[in-house]
Amino acid sequence: MKPAVTYELLHVDKNSGARRGVVHTPHGDIQTPVFMPVGTQATVKSMSPEELKEIGAQIILSNTYHLYLRPGQDIVKEAGGLHKFMRWDRPILTDSGGFQVFSLGSLRTITEEGVEFKSHLDGSKHFFSPESVMKTEEDLGADIIMAFDECVEYPASYEYTKQSMERTTRWARRCKEAHKTENQALFGIIQGGFYEDLRTQSAKDLIELDLPGYAIGGISVGEPKEEFLKMLYYTTPLMPANKPRYLMGVGTPDYLIESAIAGIDMCDCVLPTRIARNGTAMTWNGKVVVRNATYERDWRPT
């Protein structure tokens, strides 16, 4: 049976790792490299689906953690899945909620079975396991879904990072076993912090699962830029060339360009729309803060 999501490599730059490709999904093709706007709760804040199409958005990312809490996966499923719920007929990717859960700090407890956490909304207790996350993501109905992983903070010790990376691999195996929806693609997430040998081991173990795509997680988490670049350029070549490569949580222009040069196909971040809502635009000439007095009588549209 043909996989739900496949990757077609069109061109590789001879002077770098940059590449052009197409990700084929049940809701259309995605030309890569691509930036994915983030619609955390099934909408990109302050933008309609029509406006997103106007600016060329090919795929939207939504967040499993937030949708699980509100409005709830059952409501989204009853509405016909995320595509109908958010009136978006192009591809959708849902993350696993792992990053949000692990960002809760003292509000969560990690075990081999999964993570118990308290909602940031009302303090109610919940539990995420690889199996429950797969059920939630299947109910949401995105084209691409992410395996449940543990994202360690920066800095973290070698010992803890190793334990976390190995747990992420075990959870990925459980996710693959639990995932049953044939028109979705399950991507694995390479972890290992800022230790090259752990990144190598994580990539090797996850590639053995033969998933349809892979992501780099656990970088762009507050580390110095030189550390980010070192791990980006080290990890990307470890990923299969014939499958989509996704770098999670990157949205500044310099990081996006570096990611494309390294051979990354997909990136996402809340940053562009977040700063836009507060009056800042990113341009080729740098940041434009439209609330500054210098623009008070500037009538230009851009």
Side-chain angles (χ1 to χ4, degrees):
M1 181 177 295
K2 184 180 179 181
V5 170
T6 58
Y7 178 76
E8 180 183 358
L9 180 61
L10 300 179
H11 180 74
V12 178
D13 179 63
K14 294 179 180 178
N15 300 312
S16 70
R19 61 194 208 156
R20 278 269 295 114
V22 183
V23 180
H24 302 285
T25 83
H27 284 88
D29 292 346
I30 306 163
Q31 303 293 323
T32 66
V34 65
F35 176 76
M36 300 182 286
V38 177
T40 301
Q41 291 182 298
T43 183
V44 178
K45 291 180 179 178
S46 77
M47 298 193 73
S48 69
E50 291 74 21
E51 288 171 326
L52 287 167
K53 288 181 178 179
E54 267 186 51
I55 66 170
Q58 301 180 71
I59 175 173
I60 293 175
L61 182 146
S62 284
N63 182 263
T64 297
Y65 167 83
H66 289 283
L67 292 171
Y68 161 84
L69 290 177
R70 186 175 57 190
Q73 66 198 69
D74 293 342
I75 289 178
V76 176
K77 183 178 181 180
E78 189 176 334
L82 271 177
H83 289 90
K84 291 185 177 179
F85 184 78
M86 63 196 296
R87 203 157 53 85
W88 178 256
D89 58 6
R90 294 182 180 180
I92 299 174
L93 181 149
T94 48
D95 63 13
S96 67
F99 179 79
Q100 285 72 27
V101 167
F102 296 115
S103 297
L104 293 173
S106 61
L107 296 177
R108 47 81 169 160
T109 302
I110 306 168
T111 65
E112 182 63 27
E113 184 57 29
V115 183
E116 183 180 87
F117 62 95
K118 292 181 180 179
S119 165
H120 71 288
L121 298 174
D122 59 11
S124 57
K125 285 188 177 181
H126 302 270
F127 184 79
F128 272 6
S129 68
E131 292 78 13
S132 73
V133 168
M134 288 298 95
K135 177 64 169 62
T136 299
E137 293 197 84
E138 287 179 338
D139 286 348
L140 295 175
D143 302 89
I144 299 171
I145 67 174
M146 304 306 297
F148 192 47
D149 67 320
E150 180 181 357
C151 179
V152 298
E153 60 186 5
Y154 177 87
S157 70
Y158 182 90
E159 291 72 21
Y160 185 82
T161 304
K162 184 174 187 293
Q163 292 173 14
S164 171
M165 177 273 292
E166 291 172 345
R167 181 185 294 121
T168 289
T169 299
R170 292 192 294 272
W171 283 0
R173 293 192 185 104
R174 287 167 58 185
C175 284
K176 181 179 180 181
E177 186 173 339
H179 179 238
K180 305 300 181 185
T181 304
E182 293 179 351
N183 63 345
Q184 288 181 317
L186 171 64
F187 283 19
I189 303 174
I190 298 169
Q191 291 289 353
F194 293 84
Y195 303 99
E196 292 181 354
D197 62 325
L198 298 185
R199 288 283 173 180
T200 299
Q201 188 63 49
S202 178
K204 177 179 178 294
D205 293 342
L206 290 174
I207 289 169
E208 287 178 358
L209 296 179
D210 194 25
L211 300 172
Y214 292 92
I216 301 175
I219 66 173
S220 189
V221 290
E223 73 281 359
K225 185 174 181 178
E226 57 268 23
E227 289 293 313
F228 166 83
L229 293 175
K230 177 183 176 182
M231 205 49 57
L232 168 67
Y233 280 94
Y234 179 82
T235 307
T236 305
L238 302 175
M239 306 167 81
N242 63 338
K243 295 181 179 182
R245 298 168 170 175
Y246 168 26
L247 176 59
M248 309 180 80
V250 167
T252 59
D254 55 339
Y255 276 29
L256 290 172
I257 291 170
E258 290 283 2
S259 300
I261 292 172
I264 292 294
D265 302 302
M266 307 161 68
C267 292
D268 80 281
C269 192
V270 298
L271 179 68
T273 49
R274 176 177 290 168
I275 65 171
R277 294 196 304 277
N278 290 286
T280 300
M282 293 187 289
T283 77
W284 286 110
N285 298 315
K287 289 195 298 184
V288 174
V289 184
V290 297
R291 292 180 176 179
N292 288 353
T294 186
Y295 299 110
E296 186 175 12
R297 287 181 171 82
D298 188 332
W299 313 122
R300 293 173 299 173
T302 57

